Amino acid sequence: MAGVSDGSSFKMPSIKFTKLFINGQFVHSLSGKEFETIDPRTGDVITKISEATKEDIDEAVKAARVAFNSGPWPRMPGAERARIMTKWAELIEENVEEIAALDAIDAGKLYHFLKGGEIPGTARTIRYYAGAADKIHGEVLKPGRELFAYTLMEPIGVVGLIIPWNFPSTMFVTKVAPALAAGCTVVLKPAEQTPLSSLFYAHLAKQAGIPDGVLNVVPGFGSIAGAAITSHMDIDKVSFTGSTDVGREVMRAAANSNLKPVSLELGGKSPIIIFDDADVDQAAQLALLGILFNKGEICVAGSRVFVQEGIYDEFEKKVVEKAKAWVVGDPFNPKVHQGPQVSKKQFEKILSYIEHGKREGATLLTGGKRVGDKGYYIEPTIFSNVKEDMLIVQDEIFGPVMVLKKFKTIEEAIKSANNTKYGLAAGIVTKSLDIANTVSRSIRAGIVWINCYFAFGDDIPYGGYKMSGFGRDCGLDSLYKFLQVKSVVTPIHNSPWL
Amino acid sequence: MASSMRISRLLSRSVLPASTTSFFSRGGSGVLGTRLNKFSTAAAIEEPIKPPVKVEHTQLLIDGKFVDAASGKTFPTLDPRTGNVISRVAEGDHEDVDRAVAAARKAFDHGPWPKMTAYERQRILLRAADLFEKHNDELAALESWDNGKPYEQSAQIEIPMLVRLFRYYAGWADKIHGLTVQADGPYHVQTLHEPIGVAGQIIPWNFPLVMFAWKVGPALACGNTIVLKTAEQTPLSALYAAKLLQEAGLPPGVLNVISGFGPTAGAAIASHMDVDKLAFTGSTDTGKVVLELAARSNLKPVTLELGGKSPFIVCEDADVDEAVELAHFALFFNQGQCCCAGSRTFVHEHVYDEFIEKAKARALRRAVGDPFKGGIEQGPQIDSEQFEKILKYIRSGVESGATLETGGDRFGNSGFYIQPTVFSDVKDDMLIAKEEIFGPVQSILKFKDLDEVIKRANNTHYGLAAGVFTKNINTANTLTRALRVGTVWVNSFDTFDAAIPFGGYKMSGHGREKGEYSLKNYLQVKAVVTSLKNPAWL
């Protein structure tokens, strides 16, 4: 792996939006408090951001409530919501570079990936849900007697959305677009590490014509602003993406307040299972990307790699070679594969897991150290000779740390893969149709990728089994999260058919 | 902004009471009523207004290029205001259809269209919608010039609806879902929804671009390629719209447009061995021919949207003024040239006399005249053939003993204008109560009770639509379920949103257009069954 490359030639745009976005206006927090958002390349402060506390959340919820109860948004035809959302998508496309820069500097993500992939993808996601806004169908039912019954799919109301820092843009639209398409109004809290792009999207939403109060963005901390959202008595639904521990708090707060339904997209320790018939080189590439993409800061990271014994040695050699060639450095440098971890806290946590792995007796094949002496860069790290009860096999590390394990039979692989409290994703690499089918039905996870990984799509739902959460993001399933089902029943008389 | 708000309001309910108040029912208000009276009482039609558009495309569109007919033949398309020639148009025949089908086949089998991502197809359809919107007024002018419908109706309702339909179908492109299906044993079963192939589409002259959108929108969203034949009366607007689709990025050969006649070009499409699917909108008689040609050739599946004799039922509890206005609209809209026109107005005996009086007064107020003039509600009929046919039906109504309340003759002395005509005392067995007139002739029938009106309303070989006017929930539910028709409008009529399916029972046709249902017309379902070894669950 190479050392830290210089990306200083990149000219950062000035930061335009640092306040809370409530009821269509950028406003200071009521307390006047601010917090710092940090450049993970250096640990330096990028700018200060208004910090939402409970009072600000109350204001945002009030605005969202008025917008829902008496504003035009849920009352306009879905086609009209779609037009405004489409306009929003176009505005994002006009501002791709600026938004990409915001996420790169705030989250340490690769600028060129953001510019070419993630940010244009947000426009695509918005168009997908815009196209669904006029296709929300209830059903006419088949009652067992002389009744006429049908279902109305109604927007659920004011929704609280809490998103993480690893994909500030993708998570923003993945939550906001279906909520808006459904006719809901939104109070969104971005992660305190990455508030910048959310505020920019809010600004563009207003330009596109999304009415005031429909989308409110309130940067702040989980324990304060986040808790105020999850325990709010006037929020009708919360959708959260983050860690399993915090997910538990979110659900508890919902239960203790107004029993709002919650959807949770939480942690994972997803297996990639590679069988003897796989092309070893391709499999090694896939597995490496599965753990190193976005610095391993992705809930569906393929962090446990199971390789069948026939190709294990060759695989191990190749994956280590590839890891050594992986370039870590400034995310604005187009030659770089991996930027810094998002924060000092994450950086230290990952290094402590690595130390723990060594102490537990796993073999460190490569990596294991920080890169450079500034910022939060970590070497791509691979452990082998792991046991299933080791912490590095059981816990979500959320960093560039792969654990590698050998297996003999399909049954053994399935058992090992399912031996986790998580169930978010899985990868299978095989040419065999039978293996692919058997394993994909046996893994207890919300998405299974066969001979691919991270193959996301707007129309493809994903979400967790077990302690990886419940509810689905993406696809029409995600739209339904933001809809209430109302059955309407009335007697009929002398109907010619039933 | 104001105009886009207005359009969206029009769109949200399409062509129905809410928007009607601003657009169709001006007769109700005193000031406007007087103004409109001025037009309707003017006997002579003034010098026709020059349409604000140039005719640029008159050739066939085959494989992305505008070309002459193989025969070199052309035919005139006429201005129904005068009967004069607007332009000569290339006349497609068998050979041209063969060329178009070959282009569509190539585009389907080897072209990028079915292979590109649904998102890319969506973007092209969205771009096309933007272009239609940009050229709203030119498209509207072509439409009204060729068809005779009021320009305001084209510009404020129909072209915006074309735009709306394309955006609607763009949104479907990336949401076409097959199923995974349970089996009785260890099998993994999926259904793939695949584009059906080359679709032949034949559209009528009464709503040229709206019909274009109903046909082309779902076919393209599903990834098919198309050979479309327009009606010989109205070839102009579809050629322009098709050109805009090319500009939006539709690959060559994906949409081919053939102008021409039914017995030649239409028959060539319907009987073509390499057309995989046929969709036709038109008369029931032609629908039979089309279905037979499909059966005799390659058994291509056929969607038919045919004629109607739709009942409009005014119950005794109805608000008579509203019912009169809506019944008037249901019949006279688009010069009465709607397949779903409410052409049998059943009125409960308790409100019958009042209804007749008001329906007559409303018809008298209807503003007839040059469709390019502001405030005009009714232009000329499409052509001399329809014009003569309608006058013949009016004579038949009089001869069979119905009471002619108003109208009954041509309007003015040139072009194909007909006076808004109202018959009362119409009996079920009269020709005007049984056959589709397709003109501005309202037939009003009296009824006593629900069972009777259900029986009479269903006593037709058509089953396209019905209107029900009542405040009573039980009456509404009973009628809704008892009427054998594809659409029931309750206290509304002609509400044509993109998402609402439309089609016929009985001899009004097969299949549904618009809405999610319309996608079925253009998809094949392939079941894929794979045996499973040791599945974890079934």
Side-chain angles (χ1 to χ4, degrees):
Chain A
M1 64 218 86
V4 179
S5 313
D6 186 15
S8 59
S9 60
F10 184 83
K11 194 176 170 307
M12 261 314 291
S14 61
I15 308 293
K16 294 180 183 139
F17 306 105
T18 59
K19 289 185 270 183
L20 315 180
F21 186 77
I22 296 177
N23 206 20
Q25 309 296 327
F26 284 100
V27 294
H28 284 293
S29 59
L30 292 170
S31 67
K33 276 197 198 171
E34 291 182 323
F35 66 95
E36 294 170 341
T37 186
I38 306 287
D39 182 343
R41 297 176 302 169
T42 56
D44 295 343
V45 176
I46 302 168
T47 186
K48 287 188 171 179
I49 303 284
S50 288
E51 182 194 335
T53 60
K54 185 172 179 309
E55 291 69 34
D56 303 299
I57 300 299
D58 285 343
E59 288 303 307
V61 173
K62 251 184 241 166
R65 174 55 61 195
V66 170
F68 185 76
N69 285 6
S70 45
W73 191 250
R75 282 160 199 86
M76 66 175 69
E80 224 168 301
R81 286 199 295 277
R83 288 296 296 146
I84 295 171
M85 291 175 69
T86 304
K87 174 79 192 158
W88 191 25
E90 285 163 10
L91 290 174
I92 290 171
E93 276 169 345
E94 287 167 19
N95 289 277
V96 163
E97 296 195 2
E98 186 164 351
I99 303 170
L102 293 180
D103 273 358
I105 193 175
D106 223 7
K109 290 167 70 84
L110 300 180
Y111 173 75
H112 294 274
F113 166 74
L114 288 163
K115 186 180 149 191
E118 190 174 344
I119 310 301
T122 63
R124 196 194 55 224
T125 300
I126 290 172
R127 284 200 182 93
Y128 173 83
Y129 286 107
D134 57 3
K135 299 171 183 71
I136 298 172
H137 296 155
E139 292 184 313
V140 172
L141 308 169
K142 206 77 184 166
R145 53 207 166 93
E146 287 206 306
L147 294 173
F148 171 38
Y150 55 88
T151 55
L152 296 177
M153 307 292 277
E154 301 186 338
I156 200 165
V158 175
V159 303
L161 306 175
I162 302 177
I163 61 172
W165 44 259
N166 56 344
F167 288 85
S169 286
T170 298
M171 288 296 132
F172 182 92
V173 294
T174 299
K175 302 270 192 224
V176 170
L180 293 187
C184 295
T185 60
V186 169
V187 176
L188 175 134
K189 189 191 92 58
E192 65 270 21
Q193 295 85 346
T194 54
L196 297 177
S197 58
S198 286
L199 293 171
F200 201 93
Y201 289 122
H203 155 72
L204 295 179
K206 185 175 167 88
Q207 266 188 15
I210 291 180
D212 291 350
V214 170
L215 173 63
N216 303 277
V217 177
V218 283
F221 293 87
S223 55
I224 303 165
I229 289 172
T230 54
S231 59
H232 207 287
M233 292 300 288
D234 206 25
I235 286 180
D236 301 308
K237 156 91 192 177
V238 164
S239 175
F240 168 80
T241 294
S243 73
T244 294
D245 286 344
V246 179
R248 204 191 291 278
E249 290 308 314
V250 166
M251 197 169 163
R252 188 179 288 161
N256 283 340
S257 54
N258 62 345
L259 278 171
K260 56 180 79 61
V262 172
S263 56
L264 302 174
E265 203 263 275
L266 308 175
K269 193 75 183 175
S270 299
I272 296 180
I273 309 168
I274 299 162
F275 290 89
D276 277 343
D277 63 351
D279 177 306
V280 178
D281 193 63
Q282 280 174 17
Q285 190 61 35
L286 193 108
L288 192 78
L289 201 66
I291 188 62
L292 298 185
F293 174 63
N294 208 53
K295 320 162 259 172
E297 293 171 349
I298 180 164
C299 49
V300 291
S303 47
R304 294 181 295 149
V305 178
F306 299 95
V307 182
Q308 204 160 13
E309 57 183 1
I311 57 167
Y312 180 88
D313 292 342
E314 192 191 348
F315 178 91
E316 185 183 285
K317 190 168 147 266
K318 287 217 161 168
V319 79
V320 170
E321 262 169 32
K322 285 175 194 289
K324 287 186 169 158
W326 191 256
V327 185
V328 180
D330 191 303
F332 286 97
N333 183 332
K335 293 198 182 83
V336 160
H337 297 135
Q338 180 182 322
Q341 308 306 129
V342 72
S343 66
K344 187 159 188 282
K345 188 176 149 202
Q346 285 296 319
F347 173 77
E348 285 168 355
K349 186 180 131 191
I350 295 162
L351 289 177
S352 90
Y353 269 117
I354 292 172
E355 288 313 307
H356 200 277
K358 288 196 241 170
R359 278 205 307 277
E360 278 179 313
T363 306
L364 181 66
L365 292 176
T366 181
K369 298 188 299 295
R370 77 181 295 175
V371 178
D373 48 14
K374 194 174 75 166
Y376 312 132
Y377 298 89
I378 294 181
E379 291 175 341
T381 299
I382 302 177
F383 282 107
S384 66
N385 291 321
V386 296
K387 300 208 171 50
E388 290 191 15
D389 57 356
M390 288 180 178
L391 223 52
I392 56 167
V393 181
Q394 287 297 324
D395 284 10
E396 182 177 43
I397 298 174
F398 229 60
V401 183
M402 175 195 292
V403 298
L404 199 52
K405 194 169 184 299
K406 196 190 292 185
F407 72 90
K408 280 199 169 101
T409 64
I410 299 183
E411 292 71 24
E412 184 196 340
I414 291 169
K415 211 174 147 201
S416 294
N418 280 335
N419 183 16
T420 165
K421 64 183 181 191
Y422 293 115
L424 201 51
I428 302 167
V429 185
T430 179
K431 295 192 183 86
S432 158
L433 185 57
D434 284 337
I435 292 176
N437 281 331
T438 300
V439 179
S440 56
R441 287 186 172 231
S442 299
I443 299 291
R444 306 282 296 164
I447 189 162
V448 176
W449 287 298
I450 302 170
N451 298 328
C452 58
Y453 209 78
F454 300 133
F456 285 107
D458 294 312
D459 201 38
I460 304 173
Y462 74 95
Y465 278 45
K466 299 195 270 185
M467 286 173 68
S468 289
F470 45 83
R472 293 292 177 267
D473 281 330
C474 290
L476 296 180
D477 283 300
S478 181
L479 187 66
Y480 301 140
K481 280 198 308 224
F482 299 110
L483 295 165
Q484 279 283 19
V485 178
K486 177 185 284 176
S487 291
V488 181
V489 187
T490 186
I492 44 170
H493 308 286
N494 302 318
S495 174
W497 53 271
L498 279 177
Chain B
M1 190 65 198
S3 69
S4 76
M5 281 298 282
R6 179 162 181 215
I7 285 169
S8 61
R9 235 181 293 126
L10 286 169
L11 268 180
S12 65
R13 301 281 302 271
S14 321
V15 233
L16 46 141
S19 44
T20 334
T21 14
S22 61
F23 194 64
F24 287 107
S25 53
R26 292 178 172 172
S29 90
V31 178
L32 285 169
T34 320
R35 191 165 68 83
L36 295 180
N37 260 333
K38 198 174 72 192
F39 298 122
S40 58
T41 49
I45 305 290
E46 299 152 25
E47 190 64 22
I49 296 168
K50 195 174 166 342
V53 68
K54 245 176 66 193
V55 176
E56 281 174 10
H57 303 288
T58 58
Q59 291 167 293
L60 314 176
L61 178 64
I62 297 177
D63 207 9
K65 291 185 208 67
F66 282 104
V67 296
D68 288 327
S71 65
K73 274 208 225 167
T74 61
F75 66 98
T77 184
L78 306 180
D79 181 343
R81 297 176 301 171
T82 57
N84 295 338
V85 177
I86 300 172
S87 173
R88 293 195 69 89
V89 175
E91 184 184 335
D93 205 333
H94 280 83
E95 205 179 328
D96 306 296
V97 168
D98 284 345
R99 284 194 291 164
V101 172
R105 173 55 57 197
K106 191 180 77 188
F108 185 78
D109 289 349
H110 308 291
W113 186 246
K115 294 175 190 70
M116 70 173 64
T117 65
Y119 182 62
E120 287 174 84
R121 278 201 296 277
Q122 179 196 94
R123 293 303 300 278
I124 290 171
L125 296 179
L126 287 175
R127 274 202 292 277
D130 289 346
L131 288 173
F132 297 153
E133 199 167 49
K134 186 172 153 200
H135 296 282
N136 185 81
D137 293 357
E138 291 131 281
L139 286 164
L142 281 179
E143 197 78 322
S144 284
W145 196 2
D146 223 4
N147 171 283
K149 62 176 67 206
Y151 173 75
E152 288 173 344
Q153 175 186 323
S154 300
Q156 294 171 31
I157 296 178
E158 295 187 25
I159 309 306
M161 203 183 284
L162 164 79
V163 172
R164 169 75 183 99
L165 283 156
F166 267 78
R167 292 202 173 116
Y168 176 77
Y169 283 112
W172 270 125
D174 57 1
K175 298 171 188 71
I176 293 170
H177 295 164
L179 299 170
T180 54
V181 177
Q182 284 191 304
D184 294 342
Y187 298 98
H188 170 52
V189 186
Q190 321 150 52
T191 56
L192 301 182
H193 289 188
E194 300 184 339
I196 198 165
V198 175
Q201 304 183 323
I202 303 175
I203 60 173
W205 47 260
N206 57 344
F207 293 95
L209 282 178
V210 172
M211 292 299 117
F212 176 90
W214 286 22
K215 299 275 187 287
V216 171
L220 292 185
C222 296
N224 298 280
T225 62
I226 297 171
V227 176
L228 173 102
K229 188 192 93 62
T230 50
E232 65 271 22
Q233 293 87 347
T234 55
L236 298 178
S237 58
L239 291 170
Y240 190 30
K243 183 222 144 196
L244 294 176
L245 269 156
Q246 308 284 313
E247 212 175 300
L250 195 72
V254 174
L255 172 62
N256 305 276
V257 181
I258 302 288
S259 313
F261 293 84
T264 50
I269 293 172
S271 58
H272 206 288
M273 291 301 288
D274 209 21
V275 168
D276 301 307
K277 159 77 193 176
L278 191 65
F280 170 80
T281 294
S283 72
T284 294
D285 284 345
T286 310
K288 286 184 184 174
V289 174
V290 162
L291 193 58
E292 196 182 332
L293 290 176
R296 272 207 226 139
S297 54
N298 62 344
L299 278 172
K300 55 180 80 63
V302 180
T303 305
L304 298 172
E305 202 265 276
L306 307 175
K309 191 73 188 177
S310 298
F312 185 101
I313 301 172
V314 181
C315 299
E316 64 175 314
D317 64 344
D319 178 316
V320 175
D321 289 318
E322 279 179 30
V324 164
E325 185 55 42
L326 209 65
H328 175 83
F329 168 64
L331 184 281
F332 290 98
F333 176 58
N334 207 46
Q335 294 71 247
Q337 298 167 154
C338 298
C339 49
C340 58
S343 52
R344 290 182 295 152
T345 311
F346 288 98
V347 182
H348 192 273
E349 57 180 5
H350 289 166
V351 292
Y352 182 80
D353 292 342
E354 184 189 355
F355 188 96
I356 297 288
E357 193 190 318
K358 290 181 168 168
K360 174 183 170 182
R362 178 64 184 91
L364 276 167
R365 280 203 308 275
R366 187 165 186 80
V368 185
D370 190 318
F372 282 97
K373 198 176 213 165
I376 285 296
E377 293 174 287
Q378 181 178 321
Q381 308 306 125
I382 186 74
D383 62 11
S384 66
E385 191 188 328
Q386 287 294 318
F387 176 79
E388 295 298 344
K389 187 179 126 192
I390 295 161
L391 290 175
K392 200 180 82 197
Y393 274 116
I394 291 174
R395 284 195 296 276
S396 148
V398 173
E399 282 157 16
S400 60
T403 306
L404 179 67
E405 297 283 350
T406 180
D409 208 344
R410 76 180 302 168
F411 179 91
N413 43 31
S414 69
F416 310 128
Y417 295 89
I418 292 182
Q419 295 171 350
T421 297
V422 177
F423 280 110
S424 63
D425 301 320
V426 177
K427 300 286 177 286
D428 291 2
D429 57 354
M430 292 178 181
L431 224 51
I432 57 169
K434 285 163 72 172
E435 296 186 1
E436 185 174 41
I437 300 174
F438 230 62
V441 182
Q442 185 174 28
S443 299
I444 304 178
L445 306 92
K446 193 193 283 187
F447 76 92
K448 270 197 177 76
D449 64 58
L450 270 192
D451 285 347
E452 172 209 336
V453 79
I454 288 168
K455 216 169 136 193
R456 291 170 63 194
N458 282 336
N459 184 20
T460 165
H461 54 255
Y462 292 115
L464 199 51
V468 169
F469 226 75
T470 178
K471 296 193 179 97
N472 184 301
I473 188 172
N474 290 325
T475 308
N477 281 335
T478 300
L479 284 172
T480 298
R481 289 180 168 237
L483 294 168
R484 306 282 297 164
V485 297
T487 301
V488 178
W489 285 295
V490 181
N491 298 327
S492 59
F493 205 89
D494 280 353
T495 308
F496 278 116
D497 286 9
I500 304 173
F502 183 82
Y505 279 44
K506 299 195 265 184
M507 287 171 72
S508 289
H510 297 170
R512 293 293 177 270
E513 297 189 295
K514 298 193 292 131
E516 187 174 2
Y517 297 90
S518 62
L519 302 175
K520 277 193 203 165
N521 298 329
Y522 298 102
L523 294 167
Q524 278 285 19
V525 176
K526 178 185 284 176
V528 182
V529 185
T530 309
S531 99
L532 288 175
K533 298 276 173 336
N534 299 322
W537 52 271
L538 278 179

